[in-house]
Amino acid sequence: MRRPAIDRPAAAVLGLLLLAAAAAVLDWRFDLAGIWTRLDTEQVRDVVDADWFAWAALGAAVVLAVLALWWLLARLPRPAEGRLALSSTGSDRIDLDVRSVAPRLRADLDRAAPVDRTASRRTAVRGGQLIELRTHVDPRADGESLVNAAAGIAESVRTAFPDGEIAVRILVDGPKRPGRRRTPRVH
């Protein structure tokens, strides 16, 4: 799921505003900086001491809590659907279990390219699903073999799913640290 570009800056600004408001309330309560003695806060104290203020503050807190919960839940990643309808004619329907495609693509990449370990992840995108393969390159690998293996896998997925129901993205990270790599493979 693609998040709006305003999410992170808005969260940062809102967090800074909340920190500033909390600091102001703490300073007002304990008079740490001494600026509240120079200001006339009698009207504010009258409002805070009113009988209705506690109920209004509670109502505002509940509304803000519900909005915050909605905002967080709206941004949770949604799991990708496990099945994909390839075709249907009349009473016949062909479904593909997409969960079985990712392990096959991982194995194909491990076999075709000089990589150490491949992990996969499925996400829902508009009109289908994206299978992301993330791998670490073998330190002895050359770029041409990586490009050829990635192109071959991408082409096989395009051939198998010409309507674009399933797409593949291959991300190649640098070599793992020598102590964490598996036994070197012979290619």
Side-chain angles (χ1 to χ4, degrees):
M1 177 177 101
R2 186 180 167 123
R3 288 174 177 74
I6 193 73
D7 272 4
R8 287 186 181 171
V13 168
L14 183 62
L16 290 174
L17 287 175
L18 287 173
L19 283 174
V25 167
L26 283 173
D27 185 51
W28 179 43
R29 172 67 176 96
F30 297 110
D31 198 25
L32 300 172
I35 61 170
W36 299 105
T37 56
R38 292 178 278 185
L39 296 175
D40 183 22
T41 59
E42 191 62 36
Q43 293 176 343
V44 174
R45 288 180 196 218
D46 291 343
V47 170
V48 171
D49 290 339
D51 294 336
W52 58 268
F53 183 77
W55 292 105
L58 177 65
V62 167
V63 167
L64 288 175
V66 168
L67 283 174
L69 187 62
W70 169 78
W71 188 72
L72 288 173
L73 290 176
R75 278 139 183 86
L76 282 177
R78 290 174 179 79
E81 185 68 30
R83 295 198 172 277
L84 180 69
L86 290 180
S87 67
S88 61
T89 57
S91 63
D92 296 332
R93 179 177 166 160
I94 300 174
D95 282 343
L96 171 72
D97 183 16
V98 181
R99 291 175 291 217
S100 65
V101 174
R104 176 62 189 216
L105 291 176
R106 279 195 319 256
D108 287 349
L109 184 61
D110 282 340
R111 188 174 43 257
V115 294
D116 277 338
R117 188 178 78 72
T118 304
S120 62
R121 182 175 67 149
R122 287 183 308 117
T123 54
V125 293
R126 284 186 219 124
Q129 294 188 29
L130 174 69
I131 298 176
E132 184 177 278
L133 301 174
R134 180 169 220 112
T135 187
H136 290 276
V137 67
D138 190 286
R140 299 171 303 273
D142 62 309
E144 186 177 342
S145 62
L146 288 171
V147 170
N148 290 341
I153 290 173
E155 182 59 33
S156 68
V157 169
R158 267 194 301 277
T159 303
F161 306 102
D163 292 339
E165 301 99 347
I166 295 181
V168 65
R169 177 186 299 157
I170 301 172
L171 303 172
V172 180
D173 292 330
K176 286 185 176 182
R177 290 184 296 203
R180 297 185 60 198
R181 268 196 5 252
R182 292 187 319 199
T183 304
R185 293 176 45 192
V186 177
H187 296 283

